[in-house]
Amino acid sequence: MSDLKTAFAAIVGESNVITGDFAAYANDWRKKYFGKPLLVVKPGTVEEVAALVKLCAETKTPIVPQAGNTGLVGGGVPDESGTEVIISVARMTKVLEVDTINNTMTVEAGCILQTLQETAAEHDRLFPLSLAAEGSCRIGGNISTNAGGVQVLRYGNTRELVMGLEVVLPSGEIWNGLRGLRKDNTGYDLKHLFIGAEGTLGIITKAVLKLFPAPRSTQTVFIGLESPQKAMDLLGFMKGALGDRITAFELISDFGLSLVTKYFPQLKAPLPPAFPWFVLSDIADSRDAAALTADVEAALGEAIEQGIILDCAIAKNETEGNRMWELRENMTESQVHEGRSIKHDVSIPISKIADFIKAADAALEKAYPGVRPITFGHVGDGNLHYNVAHPLASFTEPNWTKELDRVNLIVHDATAQFNGSISAEHGIGQLKREEIKRYKSALELQVMKNIKAAIDPQNIMNPGKVI
Ligand code: FAD
Ligand code: 2HG
Ligand code: ZN
């Protein structure tokens, strides 16, 4: 260990090798995984990353790549063996180029997502990836998890926002794929292998990201409805009335909202809690705000008349809109205060979301009377966060966690029944590594293993994650 430490220090400088107080790196955001790394190393350049990886390859030292450490599936956390080295890209925070004609931005992997949104805005452009962890997650982590968030409906997942990558391979070689090309049919598109690979195939060090014109106006609305089916009817209706101007369409259950207002009493719901379901939506336009608001008011007025929605609050300005979004952004944290729920991040064909909720609710209630599903998520793109809180009468948080496998089986079997996926956006990491074996075909898993073995024959890059 001290040999390795000395060799690492020779590459990155002694102050960038952490040997104690690993808490910020070794534990995940939810405090579900507590790893024991050998060391944490913080390189400042791609050459330093490459030299570190080369040394790890020579000594067969396992590596855990890490960015902002906000992942929800334990992918960026080491195991408890004390043999794994965390390579953190947190010092690599340069924006190298903003090209407003190519509409791209070339950045280092440690850039914080919010900084990149702000950089794009300074150039009158939009970088649309947006999630509640945006103040601390980093673009290398976003790319490695193929993060989703609240604007996928209009702009796509991270995969659709990445045009080029630079990656340090498990051999220590640097692959420069930093191309800002919208067309490039020159064989296998390697960047897609690394996007969503959760650090199992290499360390992403730079990326070329896609930018969009900045919208001139955004209208936020908070809507009360009778049922998830009505929410999906509303989505169809709004698409007809407002077209692809809908950038976000989030479903929130009354129980989910009540947890936020319970633990964040300073946040006020814009509609009375009497409604069983809510939709929070953003509609953005390149025209001025008055024209957009008039279209949104007309559409929602019609939706009330047709009996699709019960009521709605239309934000009068950006501050009011932001307050509505604060309710949504604190949903994950409010669940931590209530006692950790059992999380599911499922993807269902959009037209089947309401049927899935009915089926999963019924199956869970049968197994666990009084169970409390916290149902919310990005239903505009078919992604539900179907988190399950313990029934108050029969369970406490610690003994609820022991029900993980049974609860997963119920929810994920319901997901499979509707041809869904057990991970829409958070990834597999450690949390779902065993679970995917039940839902992916043996052939698909074997092809994944073959790819892993071809790129990382020594299995040193984030071993034990994903497959
Ligand atoms: P980390 O947690 O550091 O790492 C994530 C994975 O990527 C790990 O497997 C790690 O090994 C790998 N990795 C990290 N950096 C690199 C690199 N440079 N090269 C190769 N591999 C690397 N996720 C969503 O998709 N949508 C949401 O709406 C969303 N909301 C969230 C809200 C909250 C409050 C929280 C806490 C999390 C949320 N997440 C969400 C999950 C998380 O923020 C995302 O997965 C995010 O993309 C992780 O980025 P990170 O920088 O924190 O990555
Ligand atoms: C979100 O959409 C995140 O807020 C986290 O993906 C969801 O708490 C969760 O399970
Ligand atoms: Zn989400």
Side-chain angles (χ1 to χ4, degrees):
M1 134 91 164
S2 70
D3 283 357
L4 211 50
K5 189 195 153 194
T6 311
F8 283 156
I11 297 167
V12 297
E14 205 153 322
S15 60
N16 294 312
V17 182
I18 297 166
T19 52
D21 194 9
F22 294 130
Y25 308 91
N27 311 329
D28 69 319
W29 187 89
R30 285 186 86 203
K31 305 285 174 283
K32 184 171 167 59
Y33 296 101
F34 297 90
K36 290 198 183 78
L38 178 69
L39 298 163
V40 178
V41 200
K42 300 176 84 173
T45 63
V46 62
E47 289 76 19
E48 289 181 7
V49 177
L52 292 170
V53 174
K54 221 167 242 165
L55 191 57
C56 289
E58 278 159 22
T59 53
K60 296 192 173 41
T61 305
I63 297 167
V64 180
Q66 194 178 91
N69 197 19
T70 66
L72 295 173
V73 292
V77 174
D79 67 16
E80 292 176 8
S81 65
T83 60
E84 299 188 332
V85 169
I86 295 177
I87 297 187
S88 163
V89 293
R91 285 179 59 230
M92 301 174 67
T93 56
K94 288 193 208 74
V95 174
L96 301 164
E97 189 191 27
V98 179
D99 180 340
T100 53
I101 294 176
N102 202 35
N103 260 346
T104 50
M105 159 163 87
T106 305
V107 306
E108 288 189 330
C111 289
I112 295 215
L113 173 56
Q114 194 175 335
T115 311
L116 295 181
Q117 297 164 346
E118 288 163 3
T119 305
E122 281 159 22
H123 291 80
D124 196 23
R125 294 291 182 274
L126 173 76
F127 181 59
L129 182 63
S130 174
L131 44 137
E134 63 200 21
S136 46
C137 63
R138 295 172 189 270
I139 195 68
N142 301 140
I143 295 171
S144 300
T145 55
N146 185 24
V150 296
Q151 301 210 91
V152 172
L153 176 62
R154 170 74 179 81
Y155 298 101
N157 289 301
T158 303
R159 187 179 296 285
E160 277 103 319
L161 307 176
V162 175
M163 291 173 68
L165 284 181
E166 177 188 79
V167 181
V168 174
L169 302 177
S171 57
E173 292 162 291
I174 301 170
W175 172 58
N176 185 338
L178 284 176
R179 299 173 196 128
L181 302 175
R182 281 175 172 76
K183 289 189 156 185
D184 180 14
N185 283 347
T186 50
Y188 304 143
D189 196 341
L190 292 188
K191 67 176 179 290
H192 286 301
L193 274 181
F194 300 99
I195 302 170
E198 300 181 53
T200 58
L201 298 179
I203 302 185
I204 295 169
T205 45
K206 292 189 191 87
V208 182
L209 305 172
K210 205 185 266 184
L211 299 177
F212 294 82
R216 295 285 162 251
S217 52
T218 299
Q219 179 65 68
T220 304
V221 293
F222 200 89
I223 298 163
L225 318 99
E226 207 172 275
S227 65
Q229 185 54 55
K230 292 284 186 187
M232 304 330 288
D233 293 347
L234 175 66
L235 178 65
F237 175 83
M238 281 177 63
K239 277 185 176 166
L242 299 164
D244 64 3
R245 289 179 290 174
I246 310 164
T247 60
F249 191 92
E250 298 283 314
L251 180 71
I252 304 175
S253 69
D254 59 351
F255 179 51
L257 186 66
S258 75
L259 291 182
V260 182
T261 47
K262 177 174 169 187
Y263 294 106
F264 298 89
Q266 74 280 16
L267 301 180
K268 304 285 176 228
L271 288 176
F275 302 110
W277 293 90
F278 301 92
V279 161
L280 172 62
S281 179
D282 267 358
I283 306 98
D285 205 336
S286 52
R287 293 186 304 160
D288 65 83
L292 175 65
T293 304
D295 285 357
V296 171
E297 280 174 354
L300 293 182
E302 178 66 27
I304 291 182
E305 272 193 16
Q306 288 191 22
I308 301 172
I309 69 176
L310 298 171
D311 199 357
C312 67
I314 300 180
K316 286 191 204 63
N317 48 44
E318 200 182 331
T319 314
E320 258 190 47
N322 289 344
R323 273 201 219 112
M324 291 176 181
W325 274 101
E326 275 181 59
L327 294 160
R328 173 63 183 83
E329 281 155 8
N330 283 295
M331 293 202 69
T332 302
E333 198 160 335
S334 68
Q335 293 165 59
V336 177
H337 296 294
E338 181 70 5
R340 270 179 313 182
S341 56
I342 297 179
K343 277 192 178 301
H344 305 97
D345 162 39
V346 301
S347 184
I348 306 283
I350 297 175
S351 52
K352 299 286 178 219
I353 292 247
D355 294 339
F356 165 82
I357 294 175
K358 248 191 221 154
D361 281 0
L364 273 176
E365 177 61 28
K366 193 166 167 214
Y368 299 104
V371 75
R372 300 173 303 155
I374 305 162
T375 310
F376 67 105
H378 323 289
V379 293
D381 34 87
N383 180 187
L384 263 190
H385 297 305
Y386 188 84
N387 297 336
V388 188
H390 59 277
L392 291 171
S394 42
F395 283 91
T396 56
E397 185 205 336
N399 61 20
W400 183 235
T401 331
K402 292 187 196 129
E403 299 300 310
L404 180 82
D405 289 344
R406 191 171 166 217
V407 173
N408 279 347
L409 188 67
I410 293 171
V411 176
H412 289 158
D413 276 3
T415 307
Q417 187 194 323
F418 289 98
N419 285 326
S421 160
I422 66 162
S423 177
E425 58 173 11
H426 297 160
I428 297 297
Q430 306 181 47
L431 184 67
K432 294 178 193 159
R433 192 191 54 210
E434 297 308 308
E435 200 72 356
I436 54 161
K437 292 181 187 159
R438 211 166 50 231
Y439 300 102
K440 267 195 187 292
S441 72
L443 177 66
E444 201 169 346
L445 288 170
Q446 190 54 52
V447 174
M448 282 168 65
K449 282 180 189 159
N450 294 349
I451 292 170
K452 168 77 174 165
I455 296 179
D456 181 18
Q458 297 200 100
N459 191 26
I460 58 164
M461 205 48 89
N462 220 0
K465 313 289 167 50
V466 185
I467 46 171

